[in-house]
Amino acid sequence: MIYNFPLSKTYQIPINRIDKLTDNNLVLSSINNEFIICEIGINYLDLQRNPNNAEMYNSLFQYKGYITRFRELKLAYNYAYGLKNLGNTAYLNAGLQCIIHCDYLSEYFLSDSFKHEYDLYFSKYKKTASGFSNAYSNFLKKGVADVASLRSSFVRLKPKFDNKNQNDSPEFIIDFLNELSSNLNLARLYPDVEESLYDTYEDRKWKKYIRKEHSIIQDLFYGMISTNHTCSNCNSSSKSYEVFLSLNLPIVKNDCTLEDCLEKQFFGSAKVAKCSKCGKESKFSCNSTISHAPYYLIVLFKRFKRDKLFIQKNSGLVVYNQFLNIKRFISSPNDNGQYELICVNMHHGSLVSGHYTAECKVKNEWLNFDDTTVNNAKFSAHSSAYLLIYKKCSAPPANVQNNDE
């Protein structure tokens, strides 16, 4: 059955009847007694969970008026190709492989949804729009062959990468995603984001942010952290909120686990500041939680630090697994915190004479990308791992162990 609904209205719809949404048409299937609230706005669709339904949210893809069940979305590409080194551009090639293999992002840039939104944005902001997001879309459509053209489009926006040096690959990934976002910031077109009866304070903080910055990048990669700051002198506390594109984690010792690094980041930090309550310079304990968890979780290990006049690399092994559960770091009781590893960005050697490669999971197989060379790989944690990308999942498959295969 197809139901046509006017925009900017609120409806109660049985969750098991939702099959898909095309434009403003909800295609509904079987009936049951569980309901969700659908707020269908001009530029977004916000699904709010009914407290009695614990599974609805994780089974649906939320993005600006388009709903597709994750398991039914069929990718229109299969990229297992190497990229030509243009002269010290291994950092770019390894970074691009990680971005390309974030499947829902690539699917979006190959879809009619992107074309519609890009044309709409560019027609209104053509004096300031760079066309970079369209350049990336064309790059994917051409089978990722023309890396030189994409690089030229990127360095015009980020001239710090317009050199013959081996730049930092994670820095490239973050800047690349941010340029995609700024080039398609639909919040400029649709600044109104409706609030729901079921919104928590954290939800409202997140919606306040996306009223200013909202694109596919925010929907898939960005999260928000809430931090409680407690004064050791008077025990007063305050809370702050910060959006993040990546979790930049300290390596707590030479051989540690990813969970150790997360523990230190969220529960083991402190600062010294003047307390607004007691007026004294005090030590504050800082405990954080993720109040809005991203679909793709980017984890960066702080491997480089300046030691007087030199930059030193920490090559210690951080043990990470194919599946990660961060439930205890997430404030929402309805988020299971389950993630699956899909990409590893690796730095080999020293800062002066280093090289970058990437390992990505393609059709349940691990592949190693080393510029133009692509080989099969066996999963294991590497001491060269610099950046990880995890993707939300319902739970680890029963036949996959959470360790080296």
Side-chain angles (χ1 to χ4, degrees):
M1 300 176 66
I2 296 180
Y3 289 78
N4 295 318
F5 295 126
L7 296 172
S8 300
K9 298 292 183 181
T10 299
Y11 300 91
Q12 287 192 329
I13 303 167
I15 63 166
N16 284 357
R17 296 180 65 194
I18 294 181
D19 180 50
K20 62 181 178 179
L21 177 94
T22 305
D23 294 328
N24 300 309
N25 298 326
L26 276 173
V27 182
L28 306 176
S29 56
S30 62
I31 299 175
N32 74 4
N33 294 320
E34 295 175 317
F35 288 82
I36 59 170
I37 304 297
C38 284
E39 296 180 350
I40 306 177
I42 293 176
N43 70 311
Y44 88 111
L45 173 65
D46 183 22
L47 290 176
Q48 295 298 332
R49 180 200 308 277
N50 182 294
N52 296 322
N53 170 31
E55 299 298 330
M56 182 280 298
Y57 190 86
N58 289 331
S59 67
L60 296 174
F61 176 44
Q62 171 188 344
Y63 179 63
K64 294 186 184 69
Y66 294 88
I67 302 179
T68 307
R69 291 184 186 274
F70 278 137
R71 58 182 177 272
E72 293 176 358
L73 194 152
K74 299 184 183 299
L75 300 178
Y77 70 100
N78 177 24
Y79 293 131
Y81 306 112
L83 299 174
K84 182 180 179 181
N85 193 311
L86 305 175
N88 276 342
T89 58
Y91 77 92
L92 181 144
N93 292 342
L96 276 178
Q97 293 291 2
C98 291
I99 296 169
I100 289 167
H101 288 94
C102 292
D103 47 7
Y104 290 106
L105 181 68
S106 293
E107 179 71 16
Y108 168 76
F109 277 100
L110 289 167
S111 71
D112 291 337
S113 301
F114 163 72
K115 185 178 186 305
H116 169 74
E117 293 180 348
Y118 175 81
D119 290 345
L120 190 63
Y121 184 88
F122 196 80
S123 65
K124 190 169 184 178
Y125 298 104
K126 57 185 176 183
K127 291 184 179 179
T128 57
S130 68
F132 175 62
S133 57
N134 197 47
Y136 182 60
S137 177
N138 290 333
F139 169 74
L140 293 175
K141 291 175 181 177
K142 292 176 182 178
V144 303
D146 191 9
V147 67
S149 177
L150 181 63
R151 179 184 179 276
S152 296
S153 298
F154 178 69
V155 298
R156 281 197 294 270
L157 300 171
K158 290 291 183 181
K160 66 181 180 181
F161 291 96
D162 190 12
N163 53 56
K164 297 296 183 181
N165 299 328
Q166 186 67 276
N167 293 287
D168 188 84
S169 188
E171 184 179 4
F172 164 78
I173 292 172
I174 299 303
D175 284 359
F176 192 95
L177 292 175
N178 275 327
E179 285 302 326
L180 289 177
S181 176
S182 63
N183 190 235
L184 197 65
N185 183 8
L186 298 181
R188 298 181 68 181
L189 295 174
Y190 309 115
D192 295 330
V193 178
E194 296 181 10
E195 295 187 354
S196 166
L197 178 66
Y198 295 102
D199 280 353
T200 64
Y201 184 75
E202 286 77 11
D203 293 332
R204 292 194 290 272
K205 279 288 186 180
W206 174 253
K207 288 185 177 182
K208 182 179 179 180
Y209 164 67
I210 63 173
R211 285 187 182 99
K212 298 179 181 179
E213 301 285 341
H214 197 182
S215 73
I216 186 72
I217 305 301
Q218 273 72 30
D219 287 340
L220 292 181
F221 291 90
Y222 268 81
M224 179 174 281
I225 290 176
S226 62
T227 303
N228 281 312
H229 310 270
T230 304
C231 174
S232 61
N233 183 62
C234 66
N235 277 334
S236 64
S237 64
S238 61
K239 181 173 284 192
S240 64
Y241 294 86
E242 181 182 8
V243 296
F244 68 92
L245 178 54
S246 64
L247 292 179
N248 302 331
L249 304 181
I251 300 176
V252 296
K253 49 187 177 298
N254 284 337
D255 292 304
C256 59
T257 67
L258 173 55
E259 287 76 7
D260 293 334
C261 298
L262 287 167
E263 183 84 21
K264 176 67 174 178
Q265 179 77 358
F266 284 93
F267 302 142
S269 61
K271 67 175 184 179
V272 175
K274 186 176 180 179
C275 179
S276 60
K277 297 291 184 181
C278 65
K280 296 182 179 180
E281 196 80 5
S282 304
K283 182 178 180 180
F284 285 78
S285 61
C286 306
N287 294 310
S288 303
T289 58
I290 299 175
S291 55
H292 180 88
Y295 181 71
Y296 292 109
L297 178 67
I298 300 178
V299 175
L300 170 68
F301 297 128
K302 295 180 180 179
R303 291 208 174 272
F304 297 95
K305 67 176 182 179
R306 183 173 293 278
D307 183 14
K308 295 182 180 179
L309 298 178
F310 302 99
I311 297 178
Q312 302 290 337
K313 179 183 178 182
N314 185 336
S315 298
L317 174 65
V318 180
V319 177
Y320 53 90
N321 297 309
Q322 292 194 71
F323 292 91
L324 174 67
N325 190 322
I326 60 170
K327 173 72 174 176
R328 63 196 180 103
F329 304 111
I330 297 177
S331 59
S332 171
N334 298 319
D335 193 323
N336 67 6
Q338 292 280 2
Y339 284 85
E340 176 184 6
L341 184 66
I342 59 169
C343 298
V344 182
N345 183 279
M346 294 183 283
H347 179 268
H348 311 272
S350 67
L351 185 66
V352 178
S353 58
H355 181 62
Y356 285 98
T357 62
E359 288 190 356
C360 303
K361 198 170 186 179
V362 182
K363 291 187 174 180
N364 294 319
E365 298 290 337
W366 284 97
L367 297 179
N368 179 276
F369 295 88
D370 186 352
D371 290 332
T372 56
T373 304
V374 181
N375 290 313
N376 291 324
K378 181 179 179 181
F379 173 79
S380 63
H382 299 278
S383 61
S384 55
Y386 194 2
L387 178 145
L388 312 174
I389 301 180
Y390 281 89
K391 172 182 174 180
K392 264 189 177 294
C393 64
S394 56
N399 61 340
V400 176
Q401 294 182 349
N402 199 14
N403 51 30
D404 297 356
E405 292 181 334

